[in-house]
């Protein structure tokens, strides 16, 4: 391994290209590690190899998580309760919060495991998917690059939906954990992740419950459209606009990592390279601004982004990654984990298919 510490989210070459990491496939499909290799694996700690100029504290990370998960989509919760009802809306929101939090824990656990195996300090969401497939069953290893591209395809609409309307925090989980001063405090029952997600779930439930309780079936796609035209209501709208404006840096962190390398490869002159990143950021922000101004059906777009991207990234991919990462040793030892992951995948696929269909149909009916 290269002794030089790698920058955040930029690790060494892929495990299949690294001459120091080799696996021998046995009849049961598992890798054969020598005692020396196993010792080196156990002695490697990804957090100690990270080169961070400004590591974040636990409180900083919790604030970022709250902002990452509480976007303007929370304003559409009363409309969601209108479709679900008060009773099912409350328990459904809390249940989905628990499912998403569990999948976030899965993603972080798999990322740490793959970092140790490949001796990499940090990994992004797409890199975790790529390495999980690259070190998984032999029959699926050739799909590692394709699966990385698939994840990026799902990430882009999620983040454009973030900037316009809502945000699902699954995409920033790994960058935030990778930037922590004490990443071991991220997990656990009373860790940063669980604490943040409990607050998120309570706030989403409260806004949905009391918003629908106040305005009933006449509630709009955004609760701000139902507020009166007095000074207090206008101040709420102004604060929300300011919050969206100040959060663009966080929301465009991951999509720029996806888009900029491709744009950069097309630039040849020094002048273009010097100003290309700024122009790229401006174009992305301008696209979301135009889309937000031209698309009238707010609730339909929120539902579509949630059903298409969020259900895939937050519910389908994490358990699938866990199966690939720990196959076949832990899956055979803890068979209930395998069935739990399969149940989560089926649950996510159901929401993906029917949610996307219903959202598209709703948009077409109101167009």
């Amino acid at each position: 391994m290269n002794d030089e510490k790698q920058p955040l989210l930029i690790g060494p070459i892929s495990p299949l290209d690294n001459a120091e990491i080799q696996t021998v496939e046995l009849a049961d499909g598992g890798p054969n590690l020598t005692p020396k290799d196993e010792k080196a694996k156990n002695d490697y700690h990804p957090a100690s190899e990270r080169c961070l100029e400004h590591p974040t504290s636990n409180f900083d990370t919790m604030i970022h998580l709250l902002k990452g998960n509480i976007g303007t989509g929370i304003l559409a919760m009363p409309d969601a309760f209108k479709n679900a009802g008060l009773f099912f809306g409350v328990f459904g929101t809390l249940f989905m919060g628990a499912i998403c939090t569990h999948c976030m824990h899965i993603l972080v656990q798999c990322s740490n495991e793959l970092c140790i195996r490949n001796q990499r300090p940090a990994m992004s969401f797409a890199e975790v998917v790529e390495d999980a497939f690259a070190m998984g069953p032999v029959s699926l290893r050739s799909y590692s690059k394709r699966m990385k591209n698939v994840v990026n395809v799902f990430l882009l609409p999620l983040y454009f939906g973030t900037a316009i309307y809502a945000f699902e925090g699954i995409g920033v989980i790994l960058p935030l954990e990778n930037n922590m001063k004490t990443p071991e405090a991220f997990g656990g029952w009373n860790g940063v992740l669980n604490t943040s997600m409990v607050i998120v779930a309570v706030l989403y439930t409260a806004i949905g419950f009391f918003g629908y309780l106040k305005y009933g079936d006449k509630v709009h796609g955004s609760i701000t459209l139902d507020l009166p035209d007095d000074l207090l209501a206008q101040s709420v709208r102004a604060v929300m606009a300011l919050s969206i404006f100040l959060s663009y840096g966080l929301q465009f962190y991951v999509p720029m990592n996806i888009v900029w390398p491709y744009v950069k490869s097309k630039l040849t002159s020094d002048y273009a390279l010097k100003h290309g990143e700024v122009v790229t950021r401006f174009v992305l922000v301008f696209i979301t601004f135009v889309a937000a101004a031209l698309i009238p059906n707010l609730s339909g777009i929120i539902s579509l982004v949630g059903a298409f991207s969020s259900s895939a990234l937050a519910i389908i991919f994490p358990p699938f990654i866990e199966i690939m990462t720990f196959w076949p040793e832990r899956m055979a030892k803890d068979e209930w984990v395998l069935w739990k992951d399969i149940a989560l995948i089926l649950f996510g696929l159901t929401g993906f298919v029917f949610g996307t269909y219903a959202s598209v149909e709703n948009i077409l009916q109101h167009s």
Side-chain angles (χ1 to χ4, degrees):
M1 176 187 171
N2 192 341
D3 293 332
E4 181 182 356
K5 292 185 178 180
Q6 300 291 336
L8 182 63
L9 292 180
I10 303 178
I13 56 180
S14 63
L16 295 182
D17 296 330
N18 194 333
E20 296 180 7
I21 304 177
Q22 297 182 5
T23 58
V24 179
E25 194 68 27
L26 301 178
D28 61 355
N32 183 19
L33 297 177
T34 65
K36 182 179 179 180
D37 295 332
E38 188 66 30
K39 182 178 183 299
K41 169 186 171 182
N42 294 333
D43 290 342
Y44 185 81
H45 300 285
S48 63
E49 298 294 324
R50 295 169 184 169
C51 183
L52 303 174
E53 294 184 6
H54 304 287
T56 57
S57 65
N58 295 347
F59 181 76
D60 293 336
T61 304
M62 186 174 70
I63 295 300
H64 288 319
L65 270 175
L66 292 177
K67 187 62 197 80
N69 285 277
I70 304 176
T72 51
I74 195 172
L75 303 177
M77 287 305 297
D79 182 65
F81 271 62
K82 179 181 70 174
N83 298 322
L86 285 177
F87 179 81
F88 186 79
V90 169
F91 290 96
T93 303
L94 296 177
F95 175 74
M96 286 302 303
I99 293 294
C100 291
T101 304
H102 175 66
C103 290
M104 290 176 181
H105 280 287
I106 291 176
L107 184 62
V108 173
Q109 180 186 18
C110 292
S111 174
N112 290 333
E113 174 67 21
L114 292 171
C115 283
I116 294 174
R117 290 184 188 179
N118 301 328
Q119 297 194 356
R120 302 177 64 173
M123 301 175 70
S124 67
F125 196 134
E127 289 171 337
V128 169
V129 174
E130 181 183 18
D131 280 21
F133 274 80
M135 302 188 71
V138 176
S139 59
L140 298 177
R141 290 183 180 180
S142 60
Y143 295 96
S144 59
K145 292 289 185 182
R146 298 178 187 177
M147 292 306 300
K148 179 180 180 179
N149 294 332
V150 169
V151 171
N152 287 334
V153 168
F154 280 101
L155 278 171
L156 282 178
L158 175 64
Y159 285 101
F160 281 114
T162 295
I164 304 172
Y165 303 117
F167 183 55
E168 179 64 53
I170 188 72
V172 297
I173 289 299
L174 294 183
L176 290 179
E177 193 268 346
N178 293 337
N179 271 296
M180 289 184 67
K181 183 186 301 183
T182 56
E184 62 275 5
F186 191 77
W189 286 103
N190 60 341
V192 173
L193 178 57
N194 281 356
T195 303
S196 303
M197 292 308 296
V198 167
I199 297 174
V200 169
V202 170
L203 288 177
Y204 267 81
T205 303
I207 294 296
F209 180 87
F210 290 108
Y212 178 60
L213 195 64
K214 169 64 177 178
Y215 297 104
D217 292 335
K218 296 181 180 180
V219 69
H220 290 81
S222 174
I223 190 65
T224 55
L225 299 176
D226 298 297
L227 298 178
D229 293 328
D230 55 22
L231 180 61
L232 180 61
Q234 293 294 340
S235 65
V236 170
R237 296 189 181 100
V239 170
M240 286 301 303
L242 180 63
S243 173
I244 297 171
F245 175 77
L246 295 177
S247 65
Y248 255 62
L250 173 64
Q251 294 169 348
F252 270 86
Y253 180 79
V254 175
M256 273 302 296
N257 283 340
I258 298 173
V259 175
W260 173 239
Y262 174 79
V263 175
K264 184 179 180 180
S265 65
K266 303 298 181 181
L267 304 179
T268 55
S269 66
D270 294 337
Y271 181 84
L273 289 172
K274 181 180 179 180
H275 302 283
E277 183 175 356
V278 175
V279 174
T280 302
R281 290 181 181 275
F282 175 80
V283 170
L284 292 178
V285 172
F286 184 74
I287 291 174
T288 60
F289 174 79
V290 172
L294 296 181
I295 300 176
N297 189 4
L298 177 64
S299 61
I301 296 298
I302 292 176
S303 299
L304 179 60
V305 172
F308 180 77
S309 290
S310 297
S311 61
L313 294 172
I315 303 177
I316 299 176
F317 276 106
F320 198 55
I321 293 171
E322 185 175 39
I323 294 175
M324 293 292 101
T325 301
F326 297 106
W327 182 272
E329 294 86 357
R330 189 176 299 184
M331 293 297 111
K333 180 180 178 181
D334 300 323
E335 189 175 343
W336 68 271
V337 176
L338 175 62
W339 290 111
K340 179 262 297 180
D341 288 340
I342 292 176
L344 286 175
I345 293 173
L346 293 176
F347 178 74
L349 286 173
T350 302
F352 175 84
V353 174
F354 290 100
T356 301
Y357 173 81
S359 299
V360 172
E361 185 180 38
N362 181 48
I363 292 174
L364 294 177
Q365 288 179 352
H366 290 83
S367 60

